[in-house]
Amino acid sequence: MLIILLGPPGAGKGTQAELLAAKYQLLHIATGDILRSAVNKGSPLGKKAREFMDKGQLVPGEIVVQAVFEKLEELSDIPGVLFDGFPRTLEQANYLERALKQRGTGIDRAIYIEVPEEELVTRLTGRRVCRECASSYHLKFNQPKVRNVCDRCGGELFQRDDDTLKTVTERLEVFKQQTAPVVDYYRELGLLTVVNGNTEISQVFNQISAALDQR
Ligand code: ADP
Ligand code: ADP
Ligand code: ZN
């Protein structure tokens, strides 16, 4: 099972991915998490990626694709993959299609989580993320049991550098220009399911589960 989660920044991709990966036993590949961990390690990839991420722009395709490719090498041993935050451009979508074809497989379903823009700004500026496991929380909408502590692993929560109003505005613009065409691409292929993301986390999860169970 190969699933893609699409949606603007703050739509709830990471939140849903975590729940879906547990339910369907999928490997969760989040390019944002991979890139942030490279930035923290100060690896060559991280150094290149950082300047783009800080500005809210997309990291050049080759860097991201390289990172995804390394993860895909693990594919043969696992029942399925959930892509979160990838592909974000038509170029990346084409790359993914070719790479999967070479392995005799393809995308089963792309899920687009739809959320109005004003809601996204509130979600992103109130987001807190675990330093250890990258789980997402929110100051109001999804609080951890203990303040600033991850429910899942006990790690410390922090605010991402790019979750400021200025960078959020740029990221939403980048989504409209570069990632919206990817949504249309999967729609044209008949692979897209649109879910209403402007509702409770559990309800979004139910809609996505229903779409995956129907396949
Ligand atoms: P993405 O990975 O798409 O950028 P996240 O899963 O990190 O989004 O969610 C963005 C923020 O919104 C987080 O603070 C998260 O806790 C919160 N959030 C996620 N889903 C919902 C929802 N259905 N309702 C309210 N807040 C949500
Ligand atoms: P969000 O879901 O909140 O948009 P992510 O954690 O997915 O955030 O991504 C954070 C940043 O990492 C993006 O703004 C971008 O700079 C970079 N990034 C993540 N995925 C990709 C990708 N597939 N292609 C290019 N850049 C990416
Ligand atoms: Zn954690």
Side-chain angles (χ1 to χ4, degrees), residues 41-79:
K41 282 187 203 130
S43 70
L45 182 139
K47 284 189 181 129
K48 273 189 242 161
R50 177 168 203 155
E51 50 178 311
F52 297 95
M53 296 174 78
D54 282 349
K55 283 189 277 191
Q57 290 168 0
L58 295 185
V59 172
E62 337 62 279
I63 301 184
V64 180
V65 154
Q66 170 77 32
V68 171
F69 196 82
E70 281 167 20
K71 283 273 178 184
L72 273 179
E73 297 300 315
E74 301 165 26
L75 233 177
S76 52
D77 313 331
I78 42 157

Short mmCIF file of all heavy atoms in Angstrom, two decimals, residues 41-79:
data_model
loop_
_atom_site.label_atom_id
_atom_site.label_comp_id
_atom_site.label_asym_id
_atom_site.label_seq_id
_atom_site.Cartn_x
_atom_site.Cartn_y
_atom_site.Cartn_z
N LYS A 41 21.74 17.94 12.53
CA LYS A 41 23.03 17.24 12.54
C LYS A 41 24.12 18.07 11.88
O LYS A 41 25.30 17.75 12.01
CB LYS A 41 22.91 15.91 11.79
CG LYS A 41 22.24 14.82 12.59
CD LYS A 41 22.33 13.49 11.83
CE LYS A 41 21.24 12.55 12.28
NZ LYS A 41 20.49 11.97 11.14
N GLY A 42 23.71 19.08 11.12
CA GLY A 42 24.69 19.90 10.41
C GLY A 42 25.35 19.14 9.27
O GLY A 42 26.48 19.46 8.87
N SER A 43 24.68 18.13 8.73
CA SER A 43 25.23 17.35 7.60
C SER A 43 25.27 18.24 6.36
O SER A 43 24.61 19.28 6.32
CB SER A 43 24.37 16.13 7.34
OG SER A 43 23.12 16.52 6.81
N PRO A 44 26.03 17.84 5.32
CA PRO A 44 26.10 18.65 4.09
C PRO A 44 24.70 18.92 3.52
O PRO A 44 24.39 20.04 3.13
CB PRO A 44 26.92 17.79 3.14
CG PRO A 44 27.73 16.89 4.02
CD PRO A 44 26.91 16.67 5.26
N LEU A 45 23.86 17.88 3.52
CA LEU A 45 22.49 18.04 3.04
C LEU A 45 21.75 19.08 3.88
O LEU A 45 21.06 19.96 3.36
CB LEU A 45 21.79 16.68 3.13
CG LEU A 45 20.35 16.56 2.64
CD1 LEU A 45 20.17 15.26 1.88
CD2 LEU A 45 19.36 16.59 3.79
N GLY A 46 21.92 19.01 5.20
CA GLY A 46 21.26 19.94 6.11
C GLY A 46 21.71 21.38 5.88
O GLY A 46 20.88 22.30 5.90
N LYS A 47 22.99 21.55 5.64
CA LYS A 47 23.51 22.91 5.43
C LYS A 47 22.90 23.53 4.18
O LYS A 47 22.55 24.71 4.17
CB LYS A 47 25.03 22.89 5.32
CG LYS A 47 25.67 22.72 6.69
CD LYS A 47 27.18 22.90 6.66
CE LYS A 47 27.74 22.68 8.06
NZ LYS A 47 28.85 21.72 8.07
N LYS A 48 22.77 22.71 3.13
CA LYS A 48 22.17 23.23 1.89
C LYS A 48 20.68 23.52 2.09
O LYS A 48 20.16 24.51 1.59
CB LYS A 48 22.33 22.20 0.77
CG LYS A 48 23.64 22.32 0.03
CD LYS A 48 23.64 21.44 -1.21
CE LYS A 48 24.75 20.39 -1.08
NZ LYS A 48 24.59 19.24 -1.95
N ALA A 49 20.00 22.62 2.83
CA ALA A 49 18.54 22.73 2.96
C ALA A 49 18.13 23.93 3.82
O ALA A 49 17.11 24.57 3.58
CB ALA A 49 17.97 21.44 3.58
N ARG A 50 18.95 24.26 4.80
CA ARG A 50 18.55 25.21 5.83
C ARG A 50 18.12 26.58 5.28
O ARG A 50 17.10 27.13 5.68
CB ARG A 50 19.69 25.40 6.82
CG ARG A 50 19.32 26.43 7.83
CD ARG A 50 20.24 26.49 8.99
NE ARG A 50 19.50 27.10 10.09
CZ ARG A 50 19.77 26.92 11.34
NH1 ARG A 50 20.75 26.15 11.70
NH2 ARG A 50 19.05 27.52 12.25
N GLU A 51 18.92 27.12 4.36
CA GLU A 51 18.63 28.48 3.88
C GLU A 51 17.25 28.56 3.21
O GLU A 51 16.55 29.56 3.33
CB GLU A 51 19.72 28.98 2.92
CG GLU A 51 20.03 28.00 1.83
CD GLU A 51 21.08 28.52 0.85
OE1 GLU A 51 20.92 29.66 0.38
OE2 GLU A 51 22.02 27.76 0.53
N PHE A 52 16.86 27.47 2.55
CA PHE A 52 15.54 27.46 1.90
C PHE A 52 14.43 27.32 2.93
O PHE A 52 13.42 28.01 2.88
CB PHE A 52 15.46 26.32 0.88
CG PHE A 52 16.45 26.46 -0.24
CD1 PHE A 52 17.69 25.82 -0.17
CD2 PHE A 52 16.15 27.25 -1.34
CE1 PHE A 52 18.61 25.97 -1.20
CE2 PHE A 52 17.07 27.39 -2.38
CZ PHE A 52 18.31 26.75 -2.30
N MET A 53 14.63 26.43 3.89
CA MET A 53 13.59 26.17 4.89
C MET A 53 13.33 27.41 5.74
O MET A 53 12.19 27.73 6.06
CB MET A 53 14.01 24.99 5.78
CG MET A 53 14.12 23.71 4.98
SD MET A 53 14.77 22.35 5.93
CE MET A 53 13.32 21.88 6.88
N ASP A 54 14.40 28.11 6.11
CA ASP A 54 14.25 29.31 6.94
C ASP A 54 13.41 30.37 6.23
O ASP A 54 12.71 31.15 6.87
CB ASP A 54 15.63 29.91 7.28
CG ASP A 54 16.30 29.12 8.39
OD1 ASP A 54 15.61 28.28 9.01
OD2 ASP A 54 17.50 29.33 8.64
N LYS A 55 13.51 30.40 4.89
CA LYS A 55 12.75 31.41 4.14
C LYS A 55 11.34 30.93 3.79
O LYS A 55 10.56 31.68 3.23
CB LYS A 55 13.50 31.75 2.84
CG LYS A 55 14.69 32.67 3.09
CD LYS A 55 15.30 33.17 1.79
CE LYS A 55 16.25 32.13 1.25
NZ LYS A 55 17.09 32.58 0.14
N GLY A 56 11.05 29.65 4.07
CA GLY A 56 9.73 29.11 3.74
C GLY A 56 9.64 28.67 2.30
O GLY A 56 8.54 28.44 1.78
N GLN A 57 10.80 28.55 1.64
CA GLN A 57 10.80 28.10 0.24
C GLN A 57 11.09 26.61 0.15
O GLN A 57 11.58 26.02 1.10
CB GLN A 57 11.86 28.89 -0.53
CG GLN A 57 11.46 30.34 -0.69
CD GLN A 57 12.57 31.22 -1.18
OE1 GLN A 57 13.69 30.76 -1.40
NE2 GLN A 57 12.29 32.50 -1.32
N LEU A 58 10.82 26.03 -0.99
CA LEU A 58 11.08 24.60 -1.16
C LEU A 58 12.58 24.37 -1.33
O LEU A 58 13.29 25.16 -1.98
CB LEU A 58 10.35 24.06 -2.39
CG LEU A 58 8.82 24.06 -2.32
CD1 LEU A 58 8.24 23.39 -3.56
CD2 LEU A 58 8.33 23.37 -1.05
N VAL A 59 13.05 23.29 -0.76
CA VAL A 59 14.43 22.85 -0.92
C VAL A 59 14.55 22.28 -2.34
O VAL A 59 13.61 21.65 -2.82
CB VAL A 59 14.72 21.78 0.15
CG1 VAL A 59 16.07 21.13 -0.07
CG2 VAL A 59 14.62 22.40 1.55
N PRO A 60 15.69 22.53 -3.04
CA PRO A 60 15.81 22.04 -4.42
C PRO A 60 15.54 20.53 -4.53
O PRO A 60 15.94 19.76 -3.67
CB PRO A 60 17.26 22.34 -4.78
CG PRO A 60 17.63 23.48 -3.88
CD PRO A 60 16.85 23.30 -2.62
N GLY A 61 14.85 20.17 -5.61
CA GLY A 61 14.38 18.81 -5.83
C GLY A 61 15.42 17.72 -5.62
O GLY A 61 15.15 16.71 -4.96
N GLU A 62 16.66 17.92 -6.15
CA GLU A 62 17.66 16.84 -6.07
C GLU A 62 17.95 16.44 -4.62
O GLU A 62 18.14 15.26 -4.30
CB GLU A 62 19.02 17.17 -6.68
CG GLU A 62 19.27 18.19 -7.72
CD GLU A 62 19.00 19.62 -7.45
OE1 GLU A 62 17.84 20.05 -7.54
OE2 GLU A 62 19.96 20.34 -7.18
N ILE A 63 17.99 17.44 -3.74
CA ILE A 63 18.32 17.17 -2.34
C ILE A 63 17.24 16.32 -1.69
O ILE A 63 17.53 15.33 -1.00
CB ILE A 63 18.46 18.51 -1.55
CG1 ILE A 63 19.56 19.38 -2.16
CG2 ILE A 63 18.74 18.24 -0.08
CD1 ILE A 63 19.82 20.67 -1.38
N VAL A 64 15.99 16.68 -1.95
CA VAL A 64 14.86 15.98 -1.34
C VAL A 64 14.75 14.56 -1.89
O VAL A 64 14.60 13.58 -1.15
CB VAL A 64 13.55 16.73 -1.62
CG1 VAL A 64 12.37 16.02 -0.99
CG2 VAL A 64 13.64 18.15 -1.11
N VAL A 65 14.88 14.47 -3.20
CA VAL A 65 14.73 13.19 -3.87
C VAL A 65 15.79 12.20 -3.40
O VAL A 65 15.52 11.03 -3.16
CB VAL A 65 14.80 13.45 -5.40
CG1 VAL A 65 15.28 12.24 -6.15
CG2 VAL A 65 13.44 13.91 -5.91
N GLN A 66 16.99 12.69 -3.22
CA GLN A 66 18.09 11.87 -2.69
C GLN A 66 17.72 11.28 -1.32
O GLN A 66 17.92 10.09 -1.07
CB GLN A 66 19.33 12.78 -2.56
CG GLN A 66 20.51 12.19 -1.82
CD GLN A 66 21.26 11.20 -2.69
OE1 GLN A 66 21.32 11.38 -3.91
NE2 GLN A 66 21.78 10.15 -2.09
N ALA A 67 17.15 12.13 -0.47
CA ALA A 67 16.78 11.69 0.88
C ALA A 67 15.65 10.65 0.81
O ALA A 67 15.68 9.64 1.53
CB ALA A 67 16.36 12.89 1.72
N VAL A 68 14.67 10.89 -0.06
CA VAL A 68 13.56 9.95 -0.19
C VAL A 68 14.05 8.61 -0.76
O VAL A 68 13.65 7.54 -0.31
CB VAL A 68 12.45 10.53 -1.10
CG1 VAL A 68 11.40 9.50 -1.42
CG2 VAL A 68 11.82 11.74 -0.43
N PHE A 69 14.96 8.72 -1.71
CA PHE A 69 15.49 7.53 -2.36
C PHE A 69 16.14 6.59 -1.34
O PHE A 69 15.94 5.39 -1.38
CB PHE A 69 16.52 7.95 -3.41
CG PHE A 69 16.85 6.87 -4.39
CD1 PHE A 69 16.01 6.63 -5.46
CD2 PHE A 69 17.97 6.09 -4.23
CE1 PHE A 69 16.31 5.63 -6.37
CE2 PHE A 69 18.28 5.08 -5.12
CZ PHE A 69 17.45 4.85 -6.20
N GLU A 70 16.90 7.16 -0.42
CA GLU A 70 17.55 6.34 0.62
C GLU A 70 16.51 5.60 1.45
O GLU A 70 16.68 4.43 1.76
CB GLU A 70 18.41 7.22 1.53
CG GLU A 70 19.73 7.56 0.88
CD GLU A 70 20.48 8.68 1.59
OE1 GLU A 70 20.18 8.93 2.78
OE2 GLU A 70 21.34 9.29 0.94
N LYS A 71 15.40 6.27 1.77
CA LYS A 71 14.33 5.64 2.54
C LYS A 71 13.65 4.53 1.74
O LYS A 71 13.29 3.49 2.26
CB LYS A 71 13.27 6.67 2.95
CG LYS A 71 13.69 7.54 4.10
CD LYS A 71 13.33 6.83 5.39
CE LYS A 71 13.79 7.67 6.58
NZ LYS A 71 13.53 6.98 7.85
N LEU A 72 13.48 4.79 0.44
CA LEU A 72 12.77 3.83 -0.41
C LEU A 72 13.53 2.51 -0.54
O LEU A 72 12.94 1.48 -0.83
CB LEU A 72 12.54 4.42 -1.80
CG LEU A 72 11.29 5.26 -1.99
CD1 LEU A 72 11.23 5.77 -3.41
CD2 LEU A 72 10.03 4.46 -1.68
N GLU A 73 14.84 2.55 -0.31
CA GLU A 73 15.64 1.33 -0.36
C GLU A 73 15.13 0.30 0.64
O GLU A 73 15.30 -0.90 0.46
CB GLU A 73 17.12 1.63 -0.07
CG GLU A 73 17.78 2.55 -1.09
CD GLU A 73 17.75 1.98 -2.50
OE1 GLU A 73 18.04 0.79 -2.66
OE2 GLU A 73 17.40 2.73 -3.43
N GLU A 74 14.48 0.79 1.71
CA GLU A 74 13.97 -0.11 2.74
C GLU A 74 12.64 -0.76 2.31
O GLU A 74 12.12 -1.62 3.01
CB GLU A 74 13.73 0.67 4.05
CG GLU A 74 14.97 1.35 4.61
CD GLU A 74 14.62 2.39 5.67
OE1 GLU A 74 13.57 2.28 6.32
OE2 GLU A 74 15.43 3.33 5.84
N LEU A 75 12.12 -0.31 1.17
CA LEU A 75 10.75 -0.68 0.77
C LEU A 75 10.44 -2.17 0.77
O LEU A 75 9.36 -2.59 1.17
CB LEU A 75 10.49 -0.13 -0.64
CG LEU A 75 9.24 0.72 -0.83
CD1 LEU A 75 9.17 1.23 -2.24
CD2 LEU A 75 7.99 -0.04 -0.48
N SER A 76 11.38 -2.97 0.29
CA SER A 76 11.06 -4.38 0.08
C SER A 76 10.63 -5.09 1.37
O SER A 76 9.88 -6.05 1.31
CB SER A 76 12.28 -5.08 -0.51
OG SER A 76 13.40 -4.80 0.29
N ASP A 77 11.06 -4.60 2.53
CA ASP A 77 10.78 -5.32 3.78
C ASP A 77 9.49 -4.90 4.46
O ASP A 77 9.14 -5.45 5.48
CB ASP A 77 11.91 -5.08 4.80
CG ASP A 77 13.26 -5.27 4.17
OD1 ASP A 77 13.34 -6.07 3.23
OD2 ASP A 77 14.22 -4.62 4.61
N ILE A 78 8.82 -3.87 3.95
CA ILE A 78 7.69 -3.35 4.71
C ILE A 78 6.39 -3.38 3.91
O ILE A 78 6.41 -3.33 2.69
CB ILE A 78 7.96 -1.89 5.16
CG1 ILE A 78 8.59 -1.14 4.00
CG2 ILE A 78 8.79 -1.81 6.40
CD1 ILE A 78 8.39 0.30 4.11
N PRO A 79 5.25 -3.48 4.62
CA PRO A 79 3.98 -3.63 3.93
C PRO A 79 3.55 -2.40 3.14
O PRO A 79 2.80 -2.52 2.18
CB PRO A 79 2.97 -3.88 5.05
CG PRO A 79 3.71 -3.85 6.33
CD PRO A 79 5.13 -3.53 6.07
#
